[in-house]
Each structure stands twice: as structure tokens, then as C-alpha cells.
Amino acid sequence: MKKILLLAAVALTLASCQSKTDKNADAATSVIDTAEAAAKADSVKAAEIRKVDGPVLTFETTKYHFGTIEKGEKVSYSFKFRNTGKMPLIIKDAIATCGCTVPEVPKEPIKPGQAGELNVVFDSAGKTGRQDKVVLVKSNALNSAIELHLSGEIKE
């Protein structure tokens, strides 16, 4: 009988420890959830501020038609743009669809209201017929990933 009472006391002690552990785990999970929610709210708030106050990349035109040229000629064009946002604009990269088109991006940040140029050179060597070369411009602007097009005809 003493053994049964001793065994029951041990079982009750272990059960009470388990419920305290569960309560501690629940409290820890609650703290983690609260911290994650706060971090997410801060991230959303930062994104909202950026939407209102961030840089905006505005090109005068995103298409340039160079007409008809002879095979082997090079065509260059400067796409003019302006930062119409409220924070400095940084053009991170400009990626052409092939090696025959070489974009040259400004190295310095473009201040709000300031204008800039993105120069593109197209080499028609080895090309014939209609051409439409695309340059993808990546920046920190709200409207990042803008496509610029150089198009025209190459005669032999």
C-alpha cells in the first residue's frame, strides 16, 4: 500500500512539472510570436514609407527606333531619365539581351528631381533584318525593372 501511495505521489509530481513546462513553452512561443509580429509590422511600415517617399525612375522614352542602317554600323542612344521620387535613385544594373548591346549606367546616385542618362550602344555586326534589343534596368526605385528597347532594320 505504501508503494502505491509513493508511486501516486511521484506521478502527481511529474504531472505538475509537465503542466508547468507546457505553460513555459506556451509563454516562450507567445513571446516569439509577438517579436515576429513586431518585426513584420516594422518591415511593412518601412515598405509603406518607401512607397510614399522612395525614388521613382521616370524615362522620357523607353523606346528608340534607329531606322535602317548598314550591317556593321554601331548605333548609340542616350535614354534620358529623371528621379521623380523623394529619395536618391541608384541604378544597380542594366542588362542587355545579347552581347551586341552594351548599356552604360551612371555610377553616382541621382538625387530627387535630378536628371541622368543611360547610354546604350548597339553593334550590328553579324546581324541582319529587323532588330529589337532590350535592356533591363534594375534600380532601387519603386518601379524597378524597366525595359528599354532599341529597334530598327539592318540591311546587308
Side-chain angles (χ1 to χ4, degrees):
M1 184 70 146
K2 288 183 182 180
K3 287 183 181 180
I4 293 174
L5 286 176
L6 183 61
L7 189 58
V10 169
L12 285 174
T13 304
L14 288 176
S16 70
C17 287
Q18 180 62 33
S19 86
K20 285 181 185 176
T21 304
D22 289 346
K23 288 178 185 175
N24 289 341
D26 289 344
T29 302
S30 176
V31 168
I32 290 170
D33 289 345
T34 302
E36 287 175 354
K40 188 174 182 178
D42 286 346
S43 148
V44 168
K45 186 176 180 180
E48 287 173 1
I49 289 170
R50 188 168 170 253
K51 282 182 186 178
V52 174
D53 296 331
V56 178
L57 178 56
T58 306
F59 280 94
E60 285 181 6
T61 182
T62 57
K63 296 178 182 181
Y64 173 67
H65 184 72
F66 56 80
T68 302
I69 61 172
E70 297 288 329
K71 186 175 185 176
E73 282 186 57
K74 289 185 178 181
V75 175
S76 63
Y77 185 75
S78 292
F79 287 94
K80 294 174 180 27
F81 64 87
R82 182 172 298 280
N83 178 2
T84 57
K86 296 180 180 178
M87 292 178 67
L89 169 71
I90 299 168
I91 296 183
K92 297 175 183 176
D93 202 2
I95 304 162
T97 53
C98 75
C100 62
T101 307
V102 180
E104 188 179 306
V105 300
K107 305 282 186 236
E108 299 298 318
I110 309 300
K111 295 177 183 173
Q114 190 177 29
E117 293 182 0
L118 191 142
N119 300 313
V120 180
V121 177
F122 167 65
D123 186 352
S124 67
K127 308 282 184 198
T128 58
R130 295 179 118 177
Q131 301 291 313
D132 182 17
K133 300 302 175 186
V134 178
V135 175
L136 180 66
V137 180
K138 294 183 178 182
S139 69
N140 67 331
L142 300 173
N143 58 333
S144 187
I146 295 175
E147 286 187 356
L148 305 176
H149 292 262
L150 258 71
S151 62
E153 180 98 18
I154 302 170
K155 61 182 179 178
E156 290 189 45

